[in-house]
Amino acid sequence: MVDSSKWRPNASINIIQKRAELYKQIRSFMQDRKIIEVDTPILGNHTVTDPYIQSLGVNSNDKHLYLHTSPEYCMKRLLAAGTGSIYQIAHVFRDDEQGKKHTMEFCMLEWYRINFDYHQLMDELIELMNFIGLDTPSKMTYAETFEQTLKIDPHIVNQEQLKKLASQYGWQTDSEDQHELLDFLFSAVVVKDKNLPQTLIIYDYPECMAALATLKKNNPVVSERFELFINGMEIANGFNELIDPKEQMQRFEFDLDVRKEKGMHIPPIDYNFLAALESGLPGSAGIAVGLDRLLMILTGKDDINEINTFTTFNN
Amino acid sequence: MATYSTNEFKLGLKLMLDGDPCSIIENEFVKPGKGQAFNRVKLRNLKTGRVLEKTYKSGESLEGADVVELEMQYLYNDGEMWYFMDQNTFEQYSADEKAVADAKQWIKGEEMCVVTLWNNAPLSVAPPNFVILQITDTDPGVRGDTAQGGSKPATLETGAVVKVPLFIENEELLKIDTRTGEYVSRAKE
């Protein structure tokens, strides 16, 4: 029997209109700055190697294809081809992510600025926030947030201290992994701390969380990466883009080793992306903004499923 | 007993934690964009009632707890144990004082209760939300005083003591909300 109310969208008409308004504002903001809109494929031969991001696969005859988890690789190939600063509003896909702040398919604004460093890009993010009616965030380093909430320096803390702290806060896994333990304390304690500014850019993450960001030349335990948090929810992630193809290759190989060790899927390395870096990616900073979460903030909703017109399992 | 992976976690799922059966009352998926995914879970320990907050790495598995909730009729108390019957199977279960700690002051016999069984033994008993009980002892009622506030204690036939309005008389029947332990209204048999 068909449930006669199930055809209805999850989002209210008001939220559907609010999304349209937000996209219009973003496009106008980008146009004012001569950042051009691009459109790259969702479906491709390659995907990220990051062991913490799971791609969705698609079978096409005898080929295994992937739905992109972010438009990053293709957009950087465009930068290397000489487009200048670019942006894209794209649907992206991540397997195994489901909750009040996570959906397998979500909408991302991603933009790249040639000859910007990450601090300039933070400033531009703040301009965009003001443009759409949000408050100017405070800024703190990753280390400062840990010092203020947990009284430790996350860059030099030892394993035993970290494990002890984690178990105090209900961590149930016997883990030796520094990245995991820091991630747990960061998401469960640090960003939930109401004494921190509730609109906050956190920057200079530990090297193990660099992803495709550059490391600080005078302090290589720190990566030149930042994130925007509003009410404890991660909204945006940006960084100085790694442009050295050798170091990029090493990070790919490191990721794949971690994947092998954990018995995870091993995607093929994207040599077209590496070749683009080889030919010369201009110095740039890039950022991804979760638009569904941004809409949650703008409309005061605490469940992402009320923001999307339809969800994966009812469309 | 089956094991459950974090992606099967949902409200009401019963799991074993440090040897005690627990029920999930909140489950939040947390994942930093570039980091490890977790499930932050609030669990109620079904033996002690305490609420615990734990975090598991997504993909981990936990042992399930053999816990079921059945509606049963309360039969009698022999001074040591409280006896209940599953009216579908006519099987009888005996619950100790700990299991009926909350329920015993509201039940006198024949009520339908929700009995939580762990490994087939009663772990806790929830009385009906509303029960009707007779007063065995209270001060005489004050006539005319129906609207103004003020209350007095009344002892019910099960031994429970509730606050009642001043106009209530001894031996009256009362409707009681067992979740709050409060008087609702006068009742007819």
Side-chain angles (χ1 to χ4, degrees):
Chain A
M1 202 40 205
V2 177
D3 180 337
S4 63
S5 68
K6 280 209 168 157
W7 63 269
R8 292 195 162 275
N10 287 9
S12 67
I13 301 296
N14 179 36
I15 287 174
I16 294 167
Q17 286 167 344
K18 186 77 200 162
R19 185 185 289 268
E21 192 187 317
L22 175 66
Y23 285 17
K24 203 171 126 192
Q25 287 173 317
I26 291 169
R27 290 192 159 106
S28 141
F29 180 89
M30 296 295 168
Q31 196 174 9
D32 288 347
R33 285 161 183 73
K34 310 231 168 356
I35 307 171
I36 64 164
E37 182 164 13
V38 296
D39 187 332
T40 60
I42 285 171
L43 192 61
N45 279 309
H46 297 97
T47 188
V48 286
T49 53
D50 188 333
Y52 292 116
I53 296 179
Q54 309 319 326
S55 307
L56 279 162
V58 176
N59 289 319
S60 161
N61 297 324
D62 56 342
K63 272 210 171 73
H64 187 75
L65 303 173
Y66 302 93
L67 297 174
H68 71 175
T69 61
S70 113
E72 187 165 10
Y73 293 180
C74 279
M75 287 182 80
K76 287 186 185 169
R77 284 166 68 184
L78 292 177
L79 293 176
T83 53
S85 297
I86 50 177
Y87 80 97
Q88 176 162 200
I89 294 174
H91 275 232
V92 299
F93 302 83
R94 297 187 182 182
D95 203 2
D96 291 334
E97 298 192 13
Q98 208 65 245
K100 280 188 154 186
K101 294 172 185 167
H102 297 266
T103 46
M104 279 164 53
E105 175 177 358
F106 60 100
C107 196
M108 192 182 259
L109 161 67
E110 182 140 327
W111 87 94
Y112 290 86
R113 282 299 234 153
I114 305 287
N115 298 324
F116 264 42
D117 75 3
Y118 69 134
H119 280 284
Q120 288 170 289
L121 192 57
M122 282 183 224
D123 291 342
E124 193 163 75
L125 170 65
I126 295 169
E127 285 170 34
L128 175 64
M129 289 171 68
N130 292 155
F131 190 72
I132 61 173
L134 293 173
D135 292 339
T136 299
S138 311
K139 279 187 184 178
M140 288 171 85
T141 64
Y142 187 85
E144 282 167 355
T145 62
F146 270 79
E147 273 149 25
Q148 191 171 321
T149 53
L150 292 167
K151 316 281 176 249
I152 56 166
D153 180 341
H155 302 305
I156 57 167
V157 64
N158 71 49
Q159 195 100 55
E160 282 315 304
Q161 227 181 324
L162 214 49
K163 280 168 74 172
K164 221 178 110 192
L165 257 179
S167 77
Q168 266 175 36
Y169 285 98
W171 176 240
Q172 287 294 106
T173 307
D174 189 27
S175 173
E176 301 287 328
D177 188 319
Q178 189 99 354
H179 185 172
E180 271 170 26
L181 290 165
L182 285 173
D183 269 350
F184 164 69
L185 288 171
F186 185 68
S187 353
V189 188
V190 174
V191 300
K192 301 260 165 176
D193 190 334
K194 295 272 185 250
N195 293 317
L196 288 182
Q198 290 300 290
T199 303
L200 178 63
I201 288 179
I202 300 175
Y203 63 100
D204 289 358
Y205 281 72
E207 183 257 336
C208 63
M209 301 169 191
L212 301 191
T214 53
L215 302 182
K216 262 200 157 56
K217 284 198 180 67
N218 58 356
N219 186 12
V221 298
V222 169
S223 64
E224 295 171 314
R225 189 182 143 218
F226 66 94
E227 289 187 304
L228 168 66
F229 284 85
I230 302 180
N231 301 339
M233 177 163 66
E234 183 186 332
I235 304 291
N237 169 51
F239 40 79
N240 272 356
E241 299 298 341
L242 181 64
I243 56 175
D244 176 357
K246 281 196 195 68
E247 192 176 341
Q248 181 64 64
M249 186 64 192
Q250 282 165 5
R251 291 201 196 171
F252 276 161
E253 283 169 343
F254 177 79
D255 283 352
L256 293 183
D257 284 346
V258 174
R259 282 181 167 267
K260 251 176 230 153
E261 213 175 285
K262 295 189 174 187
M264 296 162 69
H265 176 73
I266 308 286
I269 286 178
D270 186 347
Y271 286 100
N272 285 328
F273 171 59
L274 283 170
L277 295 190
E278 200 76 57
S279 88
L281 181 67
S284 52
I287 179 171
V289 181
L291 293 183
D292 310 308
R293 287 189 184 174
L294 196 58
L295 277 162
M296 287 169 70
I297 299 293
L298 291 168
T299 58
K301 295 284 181 194
D302 62 2
D303 188 344
I304 199 166
N305 296 299
E306 289 181 55
I307 294 297
N308 293 319
T309 47
F310 300 99
T311 61
T312 307
F313 301 105
N314 80 352
N315 76 13
Chain B
M1 193 64 205
T3 61
Y4 295 93
S5 155
T6 55
N7 54 34
E8 296 171 281
F9 281 11
K10 56 176 185 212
L11 302 193
L13 183 69
K14 311 292 191 291
L15 299 169
M16 291 301 293
L17 188 67
D18 303 328
D20 280 354
C22 294
S23 175
I24 294 183
I25 55 176
E26 228 177 276
N27 173 38
E28 186 192 1
F29 178 78
V30 181
K31 185 184 179 303
K34 303 282 179 196
Q36 176 64 48
F38 317 109
N39 284 67
R40 274 176 74 67
V41 189
K42 269 193 193 154
L43 301 133
R44 174 168 287 118
N45 182 319
L46 296 173
K47 269 168 84 173
T48 64
R50 275 187 57 201
V51 173
L52 309 154
E53 199 165 87
K54 299 286 178 190
T55 299
Y56 298 90
K57 227 164 93 173
S58 294
E60 279 189 295
S61 290
L62 261 82
E63 194 194 337
D66 180 11
V67 171
V68 286
E69 287 177 348
L70 290 176
E71 202 177 38
M72 294 190 203
Q73 189 178 43
Y74 171 47
L75 302 175
Y76 63 98
N77 156 234
D78 67 2
E80 189 190 356
M81 302 297 272
W82 282 253
Y83 294 87
F84 295 84
M85 185 174 68
D86 179 345
Q87 291 189 315
N88 292 318
T89 61
F90 303 108
E91 200 170 335
Q92 287 191 25
Y93 295 85
S94 57
D96 62 16
E97 182 148 17
K98 232 173 102 191
V100 296
D102 295 331
K104 67 178 183 193
Q105 62 173 329
W106 306 119
I107 53 179
K108 57 177 182 175
E110 294 186 11
E111 292 90 349
M112 294 305 294
C113 298
V114 176
V115 179
T116 302
L117 297 174
W118 176 39
N119 296 332
N120 221 28
L123 187 64
S124 66
V125 175
N129 290 342
F130 296 101
V131 290
I132 290 173
L133 294 168
Q134 191 175 27
I135 299 179
T136 56
D137 183 32
T138 192
D139 292 340
V142 181
R143 277 188 189 283
D145 186 8
T146 53
Q148 297 300 316
S151 63
K152 59 180 179 177
T155 306
L156 306 176
E157 57 187 309
T158 53
V161 178
V162 294
K163 279 189 177 152
V164 299
L166 298 175
F167 60 81
I168 297 290
E169 300 281 358
N170 202 7
E171 294 184 1
E172 278 197 87
L173 287 169
L174 302 182
K175 183 176 178 184
I176 307 292
D177 187 334
T178 62
R179 294 162 295 186
T180 57
E182 281 171 8
Y183 159 91
V184 179
S185 64
R186 284 170 160 157
K188 294 186 190 82
E189 188 65 76

